[in-house]
Amino acid sequence: MKKHLLLFFALITFAFAKAQNYKTVTYFANDTLKLEMDVFVPKGKSKEKLPLVVHVHGGGFSGGERSSDRDFTKKAAEQGFVAANITYTLYMKGKSFSCDGKLPEKIKAIQIAANQLQQAVIYFLKNESTYNIDPAKVFISGSSAGAETVLHAAFLDSKMMSMYSESLPANFKYAGVISGAGAIMDLNLITPKNLVPVLFFHGSCDTIVPYATAAHHYCPPNSPGWLMLFGSYSIYNHIIGLKGNTKLVTYCGGGHEYSAELFHNDPLQIIDFMKGALKNEKQQSHTIVATGKECQKYAEYEFCK
C-alpha cells in the first residue's frame, strides 16, 4: 500500500511539473550557497536567437518565492521568450526593512540581490547556445523588492557593486527593464550612456516604496533605517528628460498592492513593451488607471483628481 501511495504522489509531481512546462536549474553555487531558477522555454525550434527575460520576485528581501509570478514567465515563453524566475538570498529575513532597521543592511540586501540576478544572467550568457539566446536581447523584471533589484542591477556600476568573481561582459547592456513598484537610490545613476527602455507601474499612494521621491516607508529623517528613494514617477520623468524610451502606468489611489499588477493581470502589456523595445520603437507614454481609491495619508497627484 505504501509503495502504491509513493508511486501515486511521484506521478502527480511529475505530471504537475510537466504541466508547468519549466525546468529547474542551479544558476550559481559555491561552498555555502546554491541558487536555483525555473526556466520556461518556447515550444518548437526557432531559427532566430531568442530574447530572454529574468524575473525577480518581491517580498521585502525577507520573504516571497520564485513561484509567485510564474504566470508571467509562462506567458512570456508562449510569446517567444526564454523566461526565468530566480531564487535569491533573502538577506533581510529576521531583520527589519522598515524605519527601525539599519541603513547599511538595507543597501546590502539590494546589492546581494542585484549581484545574484547578474549571476543568473551570466549563467544564460555562458549557456547561450543551449537556450538559443541572443545576448543583445536580455530583459530583467521584478516587483517591489524585485523591482528595486532590477533597477539597481541595470544602472548601478557593476564593477563597484561586484561581489562575485564572474562579471558581465564590459560591453553588456540590458535590452530593457520592467519595474513594478520599484525605486532607485540615486537618479544620477541613470545616464544617457547606460539608458535602456523601462516600463514602470506603481500605485500613486504607495506608502512602502514611494511612487515619486520620498524616504523608504516615508521614514522620518532621524530613523536608523532612513533611505531616500526615487520611485517610478521620478525615474520616468528623468528618463523622459534624457529622451529615453519609457512607459508608466499609474494606479491612482492605489497602494503597494499594485506592485505585481501587470505581471498577474496584464502580462501581454509587458510583453508588447519588450517586443517594441526589440524593434527600437520610440515608447513614451503615461497611462492613468482609476482604482476608485483615495490616498489616506499623502496628497494625491493632480492628474489623479
Side-chain angles (χ1 to χ4, degrees):
M1 181 66 179
K2 187 176 181 180
K3 288 184 178 180
H4 289 301
L5 284 173
L6 289 173
L7 177 62
F8 172 76
F9 285 119
L11 290 172
I12 289 294
T13 301
F14 174 77
F16 178 78
K18 189 173 181 181
Q20 294 298 304
N21 198 32
Y22 65 82
K23 181 180 179 181
T24 300
V25 300
T26 298
Y27 71 84
F28 179 83
N30 59 23
D31 292 341
T32 60
L33 185 62
K34 179 182 177 181
L35 297 170
E36 295 180 330
M37 61 182 172
D38 297 331
V39 183
F40 290 84
V41 177
K43 292 181 179 179
K45 291 186 177 181
S46 172
K47 293 181 180 179
E48 296 183 358
K49 288 185 176 267
L50 301 171
L52 165 71
V53 57
V54 182
H55 185 77
V56 188
H57 67 78
F61 301 100
S62 63
E65 297 179 349
R66 67 177 186 264
S67 61
S68 59
D69 297 324
R70 264 193 206 136
D71 287 345
F72 162 66
T73 41
K74 183 178 180 182
K75 179 63 70 174
E78 291 172 359
Q79 294 291 315
F81 289 75
V82 176
N85 304 79
I86 72 167
T87 291
Y88 59 99
T89 298
L90 302 177
Y91 182 73
M92 297 306 294
K93 191 171 185 178
K95 306 173 185 177
S96 175
F97 199 56
S98 189
C99 302
D100 59 343
K102 297 177 180 179
L103 178 57
E105 296 282 80
K106 285 186 173 186
I107 296 173
K108 189 171 182 179
I110 296 171
Q111 182 187 18
I112 290 171
N115 267 270
Q116 292 178 354
L117 166 60
Q118 291 195 345
Q119 292 304 305
V121 174
I122 289 168
Y123 168 89
F124 279 113
L125 297 183
K126 289 170 67 176
N127 293 277
E128 171 189 334
S129 58
T130 301
Y131 293 97
N132 193 28
I133 288 167
D134 188 337
K137 298 178 180 179
V138 179
F139 294 83
I140 48 177
S141 65
S143 62
S144 190
E148 292 170 353
T149 297
V150 300
L151 287 168
H152 287 90
F155 299 118
L156 195 63
D157 187 303
S158 59
K159 288 185 179 179
M160 181 179 71
M161 67 177 281
S162 180
M163 297 177 66
Y164 300 108
S165 58
E166 291 194 83
S167 302
L168 289 167
N171 60 347
F172 180 83
K173 198 173 185 179
Y174 290 105
V177 177
I178 314 300
S179 170
I184 199 165
M185 290 184 281
D186 186 356
L187 277 181
N188 295 317
L189 294 172
I190 306 172
T191 68
K193 186 177 180 180
N194 66 13
L195 192 60
V196 297
V198 187
L199 168 63
F200 301 95
F201 52 98
H202 210 142
S204 66
C205 298
D206 193 330
T207 59
I208 297 175
V209 179
Y211 168 73
T213 301
H216 186 220
H217 285 258
Y218 287 83
C219 299
N222 62 343
S223 302
W226 185 87
L227 173 63
M228 183 59 69
L229 289 176
F230 298 85
S232 302
Y233 185 58
S234 296
I235 309 173
Y236 167 82
N237 285 317
H238 180 68
I239 293 176
I240 291 292
L242 295 176
K243 304 186 186 313
N245 287 355
T246 185
K247 285 188 174 184
L248 170 63
V249 179
T250 297
Y251 295 96
C252 286
H256 201 61
E257 69 273 14
Y258 287 89
S259 63
E261 181 68 15
L262 292 186
F263 293 123
H264 293 169
N265 297 319
D266 195 2
L268 286 177
Q269 186 172 169
I270 299 172
I271 293 163
D272 286 345
F273 177 84
M274 294 192 294
K275 288 182 176 180
L278 293 175
K279 295 176 183 176
N280 294 315
E281 293 178 357
K282 191 67 174 181
Q283 304 183 81
Q284 290 186 343
S285 67
H286 184 188
T287 302
I288 311 297
V289 180
T291 65
K293 302 177 182 180
E294 294 182 359
C295 287
Q296 300 298 313
K297 191 173 182 181
Y298 304 105
E300 187 62 277
Y301 291 86
E302 193 64 34
F303 49 76
C304 282
K305 294 180 180 178

